[in-house]
Amino acid sequence: MTQPSILLDGLPVPFVDGQTIMDAAMAADIFIPHLCHHPEFKPQGSCKLCTVKANGRYVSACTLPARDGMEVENNSPDLNDKRRTLLQMLFVEGNHFCPSCEKSGNCMLQALAYELEMLSPHFDQFYPNRAVDASHPEVLLDFNRCILCELCVRASRDVDRKSVFSLSGRGIDKHLIVNAESGRLADTDFSWADKAAHVCPVGVILKKRSGFAVPIGKRRYDVEPIGMQVERLAARSADEES
Amino acid sequence: MQQAQGFELETASAAAGSLRRVAIDPVSRVEGHGKVTLLLDDKDQVQQVRLHIVEFRGFEKFIQGRPYWEVPVMVQRLCGICPVSHHLAAAKALDHVVGAGRLTASAEKLRRLMHYGQILQSHALHFFHLSSPDLLFGFASEAGRRNIVGVAAAYPDVARQGVLLRKFGQEVIRLTAGKRVHGTGAIPGGVNRALRREDRQGLLAEVGQIVGWSRDAVQLVKRLHAADPALYDGFGTFRSNILSLVGADGALDFYDGQLRVRDADGGILVDGFDVQNYHQLIREEVKAWSYMKFPFLAALGPRQGWYKVGPLARVQNCDFIPTPLAEAERRQFIDHGQGKPVHAPLAYHWARMIELLHAAETIAELLHDDDLSGSELSTSGARAREGVGVIEAPRGTLIHHYQVDDEDLVTTCDLIVSTTHNNQPMNEAIRRVAQRYLNGRELTEGLLNHIEVAIRAFDPCLSCATHALGKMPLQLELQDAAGAVIGRLSSAS
């Protein structure tokens, strides 16, 4: 019996039962833009960057199981236009000022903006003004850069078993909080060794006193654009470098 | 000892309502605006002249609450012309915070190389792109030709050398900071990259030509001075104190040293002053009519204590220049003053080109040093809560001062930038130019440019925008006593 496959941008891509479109694409070294997806965690489909067209319908590639013969459109002007708009909205919701951000060059949001040729924020900036949490001796939290991907929430809850992070508020007021009475990271049992310390795709969870230590040219996405790093993204081998 | 003079024409003696107001607005600075206002009486005699500048100060506020390691990268965005100066001044201040009292040899030399590359490119930009059109064609020459394109047509070799000198400086910056503009080379306690040997070889292959062109640039300025000494020695000239960093041995040093102040006659007022205590030496006065503060020496007070910074101050404040070609030129420059300090604003260009030559020579020397390719790039020690970093930026002494709390966040930030030190000097220069050239005359674009030439000599941050490709974004309005606009002049029109 032949292995089932989907037709991804016209190319047959095999999959095994239970794999999503994202899983199948990654296994075949094909890049589907994404932010909230992480191979080690249950997909939640919240960022919508991985939106593809499957049999004519817009769906999240990270949540939809692949089906034999499914025709999937991924790298098309229409989808990339929509992804670019999503990126623009994420950029203006937070303070994503790459020029002075230490995550620059290692940031998935920035890398995707380059990949999808986002040339301007387009929308009005929200300019959130949330105080950074520098209370922890090892880690700094800059809440103004959170994109609500919940990777730290999932990692802390499901892997570290600490539930240090959570989202609070509703709708446009939704934001990341620290699960402590004081709201301060220092009053939790969070540690730099935690999985949650290494999954943030943007510049929220940062190791203190090490910003800008890696020179321009040597940072993760200086070396190769994100679209060429599918294998590393699939294995998340670079998490420990962040 | 003769002290600084000045403040004539700062405030008109007659009631302002009886005078005609002329505003040059905006005089653009790098990322902001300034303006010049003139008050004229009914005989067109100048009664008041003021240069107002919107300054950088916002950075001091929004850096508060940010982690200290972010500061050198963030504050360099103050400027697109000499960001390396802010980058390094901030890093130097934060070296104290991370307890790096003494950097590794590699880190210090890499930073020094980056900085001298910055001096080279900025001085080349200012002289060739921004000021040479005035000096080569004349202050009131045809406005359409008074730009770098005009220079390229009439003096192609001069323009080409200017462009390539700047390019070389930018390349030095790129290889030490990662980018030509707004890189990340310096970190608190050191640097994040060494210079690869092949990159050193690439620069070494070119640096001989760069030194040669820098020598030519000094000769060009000297020829200009010799052709019209009355103009070059007298245009907007005023006396003042001078202030700069000087190396421990009295050498001209752009990267590090102690503060020295001389009076208008060249006598040393302050020497060997530790920059960590700068706030005991310098105070700042606020005036209601300007957004920029007026620094002065605390011991002398605001009337006598103001001073010039930048190339004209540095070249005359040091005891010697530690590279042979530039030192020979410094001696000629000092001889030009016949035993007295040279105070002429247009002599800034001469001093600036001597510094350009010194920067080129220093880069040539440094490139032979294997420490540039070393591997010990950063160091740290006992944490401190405060640090001051002072550097000689292309335009003059630059002071960064930070306090950091126990959670690593910046609590206070104080910046005194080069252009601020030269606030009073620039005002003095344009008052003298206005008195000499504008009194009783019908104002024309050429006369307006005389004011700009005086401002431009100091190479303030506004020079770039005011002279970009000959289209100075200057507007001059003539109003009658009732405030009605009776005439308008625009340099772009």
Side-chain angles (χ1 to χ4, degrees), chain B residues 156-459:
Chain B
D157 286 345
V158 171
R160 181 170 164 275
Q161 289 168 16
V163 169
L164 293 177
L165 278 166
R166 176 157 190 264
K167 183 185 174 201
F168 183 82
Q170 294 283 71
E171 194 62 7
V172 170
I173 294 168
R174 185 181 72 81
L175 293 171
T176 49
K179 286 167 67 185
R180 288 181 182 82
V181 184
H182 299 141
T184 66
I187 54 175
V191 295
N192 67 11
R193 66 165 66 224
L195 189 60
R196 298 188 309 168
R197 287 178 191 278
E198 55 264 42
D199 291 334
R200 277 169 61 198
Q201 291 307 319
L203 292 173
L204 275 167
E206 290 182 50
V207 76
Q209 179 67 79
I210 296 302
V211 172
W213 286 339
S214 300
R215 293 181 79 173
D216 293 345
V218 183
Q219 303 314 314
L220 173 59
V221 179
K222 286 198 294 191
R223 283 201 301 278
L224 290 166
H225 272 255
D228 195 347
L231 175 70
Y232 276 81
D233 291 334
F235 184 79
T237 301
F238 60 92
R239 294 161 51 78
S240 77
N241 307 302
I242 57 176
L243 176 145
S244 71
L245 282 182
V246 175
D249 54 357
L252 176 67
D253 195 328
F254 300 136
Y255 177 71
D256 200 22
Q258 298 166 319
L259 291 168
R260 176 184 282 178
V261 185
R262 290 183 192 265
D263 65 24
D265 290 322
I268 291 181
L269 293 175
V270 178
D271 202 9
F273 195 89
D274 183 355
V275 297
Q276 297 300 313
N277 301 320
Y278 80 96
H279 54 280
Q280 293 171 8
L281 182 69
I282 297 167
R283 297 267 190 281
E284 291 179 289
E285 186 183 21
V286 174
K287 299 194 180 189
W289 53 268
S290 181
Y291 296 109
M292 184 156 68
K293 292 177 183 174
F294 289 79
F296 60 91
L297 300 167
L300 295 181
R303 302 293 294 184
Q304 300 293 330
W306 55 279
Y307 50 85
K308 287 191 280 275
V309 298
L312 189 60
R314 289 189 293 240
V315 165
Q316 301 188 96
N317 212 4
C318 67
D319 299 329
F320 66 99
I321 296 180
T323 53
L325 299 175
E327 170 61 8
E329 295 297 342
R330 184 193 71 88
R331 288 173 183 273
Q332 281 191 36
F333 184 87
I334 297 297
D335 289 346
H336 182 73
Q338 299 179 331
K340 294 281 184 187
V342 177
H343 288 294
L346 290 180
Y348 261 101
H349 298 296
W350 187 352
R352 192 171 287 118
M353 290 304 96
I354 294 172
E355 289 192 343
L356 175 93
L357 176 57
H358 173 53
E361 287 185 286
T362 304
I363 291 168
E365 279 181 14
L366 273 171
L367 286 173
H368 290 286
D369 195 324
D370 285 341
D371 282 343
L372 291 178
S373 304
S375 56
E376 289 183 18
L377 300 180
S378 68
T379 184
S380 62
R383 254 308 276 285
R385 298 186 60 148
E386 186 165 13
V388 175
V390 182
I391 202 163
E392 283 296 332
R395 290 149 190 83
T397 313
L398 171 64
I399 301 171
H400 281 218
H401 179 195
Y402 303 96
Q403 290 178 325
V404 179
D405 67 16
D406 291 336
E407 293 186 347
D408 300 324
L409 301 182
V410 174
T411 53
T412 60
C413 164
D414 183 30
L415 312 176
I416 305 181
V417 302
S418 320
T419 301
T420 309
H421 294 292
N422 274 337
N423 194 1
Q424 184 63 27
M426 287 189 291
N427 272 286
E428 290 295 331
I430 62 172
R431 283 165 195 159
R432 275 155 182 75
V433 169
Q435 233 170 2
R436 163 72 177 78
Y437 293 94
L438 270 56
N439 259 346
R441 309 267 297 270
E442 185 187 344
L443 297 179
T444 62
E445 191 279 337
L447 285 178
L448 167 63
N449 191 47
H450 281 63
I451 296 268
E452 279 200 283
V453 168
I455 296 172
R456 203 170 289 130
F458 293 84
D459 187 15

Side-chain angles (χ1 to χ4, degrees), chain A residues 102 142 208-209 212 216, chain B residues 66 69 192-193 407-408:
Chain A
E102 63 192 89
D142 188 338
K208 277 188 166 184
R209 299 176 287 278
F212 304 103
I216 292 170
Chain B
R66 300 304 308 174
W69 53 88
N192 67 11
R193 66 165 66 224
E407 293 186 347
D408 300 324

Side-chain angles (χ1 to χ4, degrees), chain A residues 122-200:
Chain A
H122 182 78
F123 302 106
D124 288 343
Q125 295 277 358
F126 282 32
Y127 294 124
N129 188 14
R130 304 187 183 107
V132 300
D133 182 344
S135 61
H136 195 279
E138 295 178 288
V139 174
L140 176 98
L141 299 178
D142 188 338
F143 296 106
N144 298 300
R145 297 172 183 152
C146 182
I147 57 168
L148 308 179
C149 70
E150 291 192 80
L151 278 172
C152 60
V153 175
R154 287 180 274 168
S156 187
R157 181 190 62 213
D158 302 340
V159 179
D160 305 328
R161 305 291 175 188
K162 292 181 178 178
S163 290
V164 169
F165 299 105
S166 182
L167 294 189
S168 179
R170 289 187 176 278
I172 202 67
D173 295 322
K174 185 177 277 193
H175 62 282
L176 184 69
I177 58 164
V178 171
N179 274 328
E181 203 168 327
S182 64
R184 288 156 47 93
L185 194 63
D187 297 328
T188 70
D189 54 353
F190 183 79
S191 147
W192 179 247
D194 290 353
K195 182 72 180 173
H198 303 275
V199 292
C200 181

Side-chain angles (χ1 to χ4, degrees), chain A residues 1 36 44 54 82 109-110 132-133 145 151-152 170 183 204 211 223:
Chain A
M1 196 177 108
C36 72
Q44 66 169 21
K82 288 181 165 52
L109 183 67
Q110 182 195 44
V132 300
D133 182 344
R145 297 172 183 152
L151 278 172
C152 60
R170 289 187 176 278
V204 178
V223 179

